[in-house]
């Protein structure tokens, strides 16, 4: 059951999918959702474009598409 859907989130794009360990993974428009550990509050995007676990990670916009804007601060993540 989905709870605490954020402002601007389209509920029809919010779903779950089974993971290989049997647990459920939340998805948005088919993209698995994760929280970057260094992001501490709403709006933090320090994980943007971080290359980890075999791919770059990106923020997903409210319309369900990944935002591929690269960080501009010269680090591995953040806007």
């Amino acid at each position: 059951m989905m709870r605490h859907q954020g402002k601007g989130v389209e509920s029809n794009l919010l779903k779950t999918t089974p993971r290989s360990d049997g647990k459920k993974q939340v998805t948005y428009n088919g993209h698995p959702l994760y929280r970057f550990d260094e992001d501490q509050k709403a709006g933090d995007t320090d994980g943007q474009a971080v290359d980890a676990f075999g791919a770059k990670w990106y923020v997903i916009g409210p319309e369900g598409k990944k935002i591929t804007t690269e960080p501009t601060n010269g680090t591995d993540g953040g806007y």
Side-chain angles (χ1 to χ4, degrees):
M1 179 165 136
M2 297 288 170
R3 289 186 250 158
H4 309 292
Q5 168 183 316
K7 183 178 179 182
V9 172
E10 296 182 35
S11 60
N12 62 318
L13 298 179
L14 196 57
K15 303 195 183 313
T16 62
T17 190
R19 297 180 350 175
S20 61
D21 63 3
K23 295 180 181 179
K24 290 183 179 181
Q25 174 69 49
V26 177
T27 63
Y28 193 66
N29 196 30
H31 298 282
L33 300 180
Y34 302 93
R35 186 183 77 77
F36 187 66
D37 193 49
E38 294 177 29
D39 290 341
Q40 299 298 309
K41 64 186 181 313
D44 284 353
T45 57
D46 293 329
Q48 179 69 345
V50 168
D51 194 347
F53 303 100
K56 282 194 174 186
W57 293 46
Y58 293 103
V59 172
I60 298 295
E63 73 288 341
K65 296 179 182 175
K66 69 180 176 180
I67 299 171
T68 59
T69 305
E70 293 287 333
T72 58
N73 63 358
T75 67
D76 288 336
Y79 274 120

